[in-house]
Amino acid sequence: NDTDVQRGASAALGNLAVNVENKVLIVKLGGLEPLIRRMQSPNIDVQCNAVGCLTNLASHDENKTEIARSGALIPLVQLAHSEDIRVQRNAVGSLLNMTHTNENRQQLVNAGATPVLVNLLTSPDTDIQYYCTTALSNIAVDSSNRSEFLMTEPELVQRLVGLMDNPSLKIQRQAASALRNLASDEKYQIDIVEAGGLIPLLRLINSGDSELILPAVACIRNLSINSQNESPLIGEGFLDVLSSILSMEENEEIQGHGVSTLRNLAASSQEKQVQVVQSGAIQKMKDLIMHVSPDIQSEMTACIAILARSEELKPRLLEMGICEVLIPLTRSSSTKIQVNSGGAIANLATK
């Protein structure tokens, strides 16, 4: 019952829990139960130290299931409401560390963590904003949680869109990642565009920072799946940007999302197909296609095959010498590339 002893003991455990072996040992020795009791102490310092220790323990995969079973999640959610910024920061950090498995994410949702995390997106504390944005991005990986968000969190998209203009680059990155995960669902694909998400996403892609470009272009790829977003994407100037990132051979993931987005936009109206070609994207694909990985070649040949169906575009594609790369690719070791390339040639030859 001595507050000074509790404060010192929880601080000491927190320091010990920085060590990987100690993280597991503390849990095995029954440390969770007294830590949970101390989290509910009336003394703020004791609370802060106990939650800080739990944050360290929750960073080890072996401990996550035990922490979830221990009854710690509900007190953590409650402490995320704390008026003390240190307690709040540690509590949200613990919740973040519990979002790395499907089972734990569902347990967090059941414990009422989601509305707290969404509310704290507007926190003045940068660390809390980052923890909440990252946690929500992880939770949004699961389709059941996205469905729950749609019913219960009407402010989520607008707040995440706003955070893409946050001064912190790591918050911008996680906000774009969260929107990318939400954009796996049709309703969110529309909501993100209606919330003004395209302009900040375009800015991130134009940033020159691959850590910002990747989640932004991945989000755009998901948005481009929805036909209602084709005109807004083209209208905001994404074709030129997508064309430029095709040259990012040092980052195949960015390159792949860019090609996939162009392929989605190519599977559209005649007018939009013409705009894709006019952007210079297909000429760039032709220049790069023999020097990129098979996965990128597959995406590029699929895009070209779609455009080759257009009677208006066939002469343009032939004039740029697209068959110079398509014919050799019919001998690719990849069946998919063979099929795409052969299909593109067949479409070009058909009247």
Side-chain angles (χ1 to χ4, degrees):
N1 294 324
D2 189 315
T3 300
D4 289 336
V5 173
Q6 292 174 1
R7 185 190 301 115
S10 55
L13 276 178
N15 292 333
L16 289 170
V18 173
N19 176 273
V20 174
E21 290 80 10
N22 289 340
K23 292 178 199 287
V24 178
L25 186 59
I26 290 169
V27 173
K28 285 184 176 178
L29 292 175
L32 288 179
E33 185 179 345
L35 280 171
I36 293 170
R37 288 201 302 270
R38 298 292 77 80
M39 283 163 54
Q40 298 169 78
S41 167
N43 183 278
I44 295 298
D45 289 333
V46 174
Q47 283 183 6
C48 184
N49 292 344
V51 181
C53 180
L54 196 68
T55 302
N56 290 340
L57 298 179
S59 66
H60 197 291
D61 288 342
E62 285 188 31
N63 290 338
K64 296 181 192 296
T65 299
E66 290 301 319
I67 290 171
R69 289 174 179 169
S70 71
L73 296 184
I74 290 176
L76 282 173
V77 170
Q78 293 169 341
L79 289 174
H81 291 287
S82 173
E83 294 181 3
D84 186 275
I85 199 73
R86 300 169 305 154
V87 174
Q88 196 176 63
R89 189 184 298 122
N90 285 344
V92 176
S94 292
L95 295 174
L96 168 59
N97 285 341
M98 294 295 292
T99 61
H100 300 297
T101 69
N102 178 284
E103 181 183 5
N104 290 153
R105 288 192 290 269
Q106 192 56 56
Q107 290 165 328
L108 282 174
V109 171
N110 294 341
T114 300
V116 179
L117 293 170
V118 173
N119 184 55
L120 288 174
L121 289 175
T122 59
S123 169
D125 184 84
T126 299
D127 287 335
I128 289 175
Q129 283 187 315
Y130 173 70
Y131 295 155
C132 289
T133 308
T134 308
L136 288 165
S137 178
N138 292 343
I139 292 170
V141 167
D142 306 315
S143 61
S144 60
N145 295 335
R146 294 194 298 272
S147 299
E148 181 74 16
F149 287 164
L150 275 172
M151 293 186 292
T152 61
E153 303 302 333
E155 301 297 322
L156 177 57
V157 169
Q158 195 66 65
R159 290 182 181 181
L160 290 171
V161 168
L163 286 172
M164 286 193 290
D165 288 320
N166 190 280
S168 167
L169 295 182
K170 66 181 184 179
I171 290 176
Q172 293 178 29
R173 181 176 69 248
Q174 290 303 327
S177 295
L179 289 169
R180 173 200 62 198
N181 290 337
L182 292 176
S184 300
D185 289 1
E186 182 178 359
K187 179 67 166 63
Y188 276 124
Q189 290 163 1
I190 300 299
D191 289 350
I192 291 166
V193 174
E194 290 182 347
L198 292 185
I199 292 175
L201 285 167
L202 183 61
R203 181 184 60 76
L204 295 185
I205 295 174
N206 278 322
S207 69
D209 183 339
S210 61
E211 291 193 356
L212 296 176
I213 296 170
L214 177 57
V217 74
C219 183
I220 290 299
R221 178 203 174 277
N222 286 350
L223 296 180
S224 71
I225 294 169
N226 196 306
S227 60
Q228 292 186 52
N229 291 335
E230 291 165 359
S231 293
L233 284 168
I234 293 174
E236 291 294 347
F238 277 92
L239 286 179
D240 291 339
V241 175
L242 291 167
S243 179
S244 69
I245 66 175
L246 292 180
S247 301
M248 294 188 67
E249 296 177 75
E250 72 280 3
N251 194 314
E252 185 178 322
E253 197 171 359
I254 290 175
Q255 199 178 39
H257 287 308
V259 179
S260 295
T261 305
L262 288 165
R263 185 194 63 193
N264 290 340
L265 294 175
S268 182
S269 67
Q270 178 78 22
E271 177 188 2
K272 293 181 178 64
Q273 289 177 336
V274 170
Q275 289 174 304
V276 169
V277 175
Q278 287 176 337
S279 72
I282 307 307
Q283 179 64 57
K284 187 163 284 188
M285 286 187 196
K286 188 235 174 186
D287 296 340
L288 293 169
I289 199 167
M290 303 306 293
H291 310 290
V292 296
S293 72
D295 286 341
I296 302 298
Q297 285 180 334
S298 178
E299 289 291 318
M300 287 182 171
T301 50
C303 181
I304 294 167
I306 292 169
L307 294 171
R309 298 173 189 161
S310 166
E311 293 300 324
E312 182 177 346
L313 292 177
K314 286 177 184 180
R316 297 192 191 194
L317 295 171
L318 291 168
E319 186 178 336
M320 74 170 62
I322 201 72
C323 288
E324 295 171 10
V325 293
L326 290 176
I327 292 171
L329 287 169
T330 61
R331 298 188 292 272
S332 168
S333 59
S334 164
T335 303
K336 197 169 185 180
I337 294 171
Q338 291 178 21
V339 171
N340 290 344
S341 302
I345 294 169
N347 290 340
L348 289 169
T350 303
K351 289 189 177 181

